[in-house]
Amino acid sequence: MLSLIVRVIARKTLNFDSFFRGTIFKRHLILGIETSCDDTGCAVLDFDGTILGESLYSQHLFHLMNGGIIPPLARDLHRMHIETVVHQAVKESGLCFNDLSAISVTTEPGLPMSLSIGTKYGKYLCRHYKKPFIPIHHMKAHALTARMVKRDLEFPYLVLLVSGGHCLLAIAKSADDFLLLGEVIDNAPGEIMDKIARRLKLKNLREYSVLSGGRAMEVAASKADNPLEFEFATPLMHYRNCNFSFAGLHNKVTRTIITEEKKYNVAPDQVLPSVNNICAGFLLSITRHLCHRIQRAMEFIDARNLILPQHRILVMSGGVACNNIIPQGIEIICNEFGYKLVRPPPKLCTDNGVMIAWNGVERWKAKVGVLQNFDHVDYNKCSPIGESIIEEVTQANLKCKWIKLDKFLNLITNGENQKAVV
Ligand SMILES: *[C@@H]1O[C@H](CO)[C@@H](O)[C@H](O)[C@H]1NC(C)=O
């Protein structure tokens, strides 16, 4: 009891914890800053991946009101909040800036205006406190967070990154080395989900009013009484590569919505009676497309012996990985090929400061990209995750026999998916 009181007082007055954490044991500590899109995130991590402090400011509601992200607004909100967010994370950790070993910051890829705020602020902190600067690739950070959650996860492994800005399949070979198997050629699935949710006016229904488009879509789909009422063709069925495309699907769903609106003669603010079935059909098509690409990637990996059968892992991350319906289809493909599906918890799948700090830890340990001199470092809108072997995948010309998703269909047609929605 006494020691507890002493600890509390010490924490308040002498900052005892930080004294032990940082100074005496010389623990390595990394601060991470994320501002690549619409979340201002920060975290302090030690080398074991223990989160000592974290803070996140989400702009989600602003952009929901505006019907999408407006880059200058996103930049201004980052600028307004970055200092508070960073100081909150550091305060929560009980440490001070001088205890840090280095500061890692997302510099690519992302919205340039958003990236500029984190990059500038991170550099300012590094100069002020004389710390090394670790520039972070946002997608690599997403792909590597799984190693913080699952400590025995070894390279190489397969990664599917799906969000509002990205969709790609890659093999993670090391903290810095990735092979790109396929990527989206038009719009990312999260972006299309948001657009369809907006087109369906889901926001007008009270229970969805503050949910992201993707989340509203998932809940609506889970209420479908006939998920097969609207069947949308699976994109790129006949292309023997691992690229993704969602723009065609977007058009098809939009046309269906227009037809349905005419049929029911809905008022401008009214939501279609068939909304749940449309959402289910749409999600089903997305799931099928992702499953096809994953299956081809797995068959290509088999043909080239790229990942040993003993430790086959598929990591799924990015905002769309928070969806609870899609992964159930992907799980079927994984089971068939002897892969284990690993999804970080939702708060680590969406953008956050923790993954940036963790990538800083990985880079510090691997001694790559820890910069004492960082004046030349700039932020980049586009930056490939690694070497592209998309051509090789195409040339392999694998004729896949698609694994049936009957179990997945049963799940969503029996209304059992209600259970799946947490
Ligand atoms: C796959 O996508 C990449 C990047 O958009 C593109 O350069 C490439 O031509 C596409 N490959 C195929 C076979 O469609």
Side-chain angles (χ1 to χ4, degrees):
M1 188 61 197
L2 184 65
S3 71
L4 184 75
I5 295 169
V6 171
R7 264 178 68 93
V8 171
I9 295 170
R11 200 175 170 145
K12 287 222 149 53
T13 55
L14 301 170
N15 217 343
F16 226 51
D17 272 10
S18 95
F19 189 60
F20 277 114
R21 276 176 178 171
T23 323
I24 293 195
F25 296 124
K26 278 276 169 238
R27 240 166 125 188
H28 285 303
L29 304 156
I30 305 279
L31 178 97
I33 300 175
E34 155 69 26
T35 64
S36 71
C37 187
D38 60 346
D39 289 308
T40 320
C42 182
V44 182
L45 249 66
D46 71 7
F47 267 31
D48 300 326
T50 309
I51 302 168
L52 303 175
E54 65 183 309
S55 170
L56 185 77
Y57 172 80
S58 172
Q59 308 176 356
H60 149 77
L61 283 179
F62 277 92
H63 302 306
L64 194 66
M65 278 177 340
N66 286 307
I69 295 174
I70 301 166
L73 176 66
R75 175 197 56 205
D76 293 347
L77 289 168
H78 280 304
R79 191 183 279 140
M80 268 167 67
H81 295 281
I82 190 154
E83 188 163 13
T84 318
V85 167
V86 170
H87 281 259
Q88 246 171 29
V90 173
K91 189 170 168 222
E92 193 184 297
S93 73
L95 299 155
C96 53
F97 286 101
N98 281 320
D99 299 326
L100 299 170
S101 306
I103 297 174
S104 55
V105 182
T106 310
T107 56
E108 58 186 17
L111 299 174
M113 288 185 184
S114 294
L115 286 169
S116 76
I117 302 298
T119 307
K120 280 183 202 152
Y121 191 68
K123 281 183 171 180
Y124 153 76
L125 288 176
C126 286
R127 282 193 195 103
H128 190 82
Y129 295 101
K130 302 196 170 46
K131 301 291 173 189
F133 181 82
I134 313 180
I136 302 292
H137 190 286
H138 182 80
M139 305 307 287
K140 289 182 187 174
H142 266 307
L144 294 167
T145 316
R147 279 165 50 85
M148 186 186 102
V149 181
K150 191 172 157 31
R151 301 311 297 276
D152 58 350
L153 175 52
E154 279 174 34
F155 298 115
Y157 56 87
L158 183 60
V159 213
L160 171 71
L161 299 180
V162 252
S163 69
H166 307 274
C167 187
L168 63 81
L169 262 170
I171 297 174
K173 288 167 67 192
S174 75
D176 203 33
D177 255 333
F178 287 73
L179 290 178
L180 180 66
L181 297 164
E183 65 184 344
V184 70
I185 56 173
D186 38 49
N187 309 76
E191 180 194 333
I192 302 296
M193 284 163 130
D194 282 343
K195 283 187 173 151
I196 298 287
R198 224 177 294 138
R199 185 65 187 75
L200 285 168
K201 297 170 271 186
L202 286 177
K203 195 156 63 70
N204 292 359
L205 298 175
R206 190 156 179 192
E207 62 173 313
Y208 303 134
S209 60
V210 296
L211 297 185
S212 72
R215 176 73 185 139
M217 172 94 47
E218 176 186 345
V219 180
S222 75
K223 295 181 188 162
D225 55 14
N226 180 10
L228 300 179
E229 182 181 353
F230 304 96
E231 284 202 74
F232 302 106
T234 311
L236 303 183
M237 274 281 269
H238 304 294
Y239 290 82
R240 292 186 181 170
N241 60 46
C242 286
N243 275 352
F244 301 87
S245 166
F246 298 92
L249 179 61
H250 184 198
N251 286 338
K252 280 183 209 132
V253 178
T254 307
R255 280 204 300 272
T256 298
I257 296 171
I258 293 169
T259 312
E260 286 290 289
E261 282 174 346
K262 282 198 188 117
K263 183 168 132 195
Y264 290 103
N265 198 16
V266 296
D269 62 342
Q270 199 191 348
V271 178
L272 273 173
S274 48
V275 66
N276 297 340
N277 287 349
I278 295 177
C279 289
F282 175 55
L283 276 188
L284 183 59
S285 175
I286 291 184
T287 306
R288 275 216 179 95
H289 183 33
L290 295 176
C291 285
H292 285 174
R293 289 4 235 174
I294 292 167
Q295 179 178 342
R296 181 177 300 284
M298 288 177 176
E299 291 193 17
F300 179 78
I301 286 168
D302 271 352
R304 299 290 161 96
N305 234 333
L306 294 174
I307 298 178
L308 295 176
Q310 298 86 287
H311 56 86
R312 293 192 154 176
I313 302 276
L314 168 63
V315 169
M316 182 182 183
S317 195
V320 177
C322 299
N323 183 291
N324 288 299
I325 295 178
I326 297 170
Q328 298 185 53
I330 294 176
E331 196 104 44
I332 294 172
I333 311 296
C334 286
N335 289 339
E336 202 74 29
F337 283 85
Y339 280 73
K340 188 174 171 337
L341 179 64
V342 174
R343 269 196 302 158
K347 75 162 201 178
L348 294 179
C349 279
T350 50
D351 293 350
N352 62 82
V354 174
M355 69 178 197
I356 305 306
W358 174 252
N359 199 201
V361 170
E362 293 250 27
R363 294 191 147 255
W364 180 284
K365 284 183 183 166
K367 297 189 171 63
V368 284
V370 182
L371 310 175
Q372 302 291 342
N373 188 340
F374 46 83
D375 289 342
H376 62 286
V377 177
D378 213 345
Y379 50 88
N380 289 307
K381 178 173 189 265
C382 301
S383 170
I385 194 169
E387 183 196 342
S388 167
I389 53 166
I390 293 178
E391 268 314 302
E392 267 181 65
V393 176
T394 311
Q395 265 153 31
N397 198 28
L398 297 174
K399 187 176 187 310
C400 302
K401 200 167 167 293
W402 300 128
I403 289 164
K404 296 249 181 311
L405 293 178
D406 293 359
K407 261 197 264 168
F408 177 71
L409 274 177
N410 285 341
L411 197 83
I412 66 168
T413 41
N414 292 341
E416 271 186 41
N417 56 322
Q418 297 248 9
K419 283 184 220 138
V421 178
V422 184

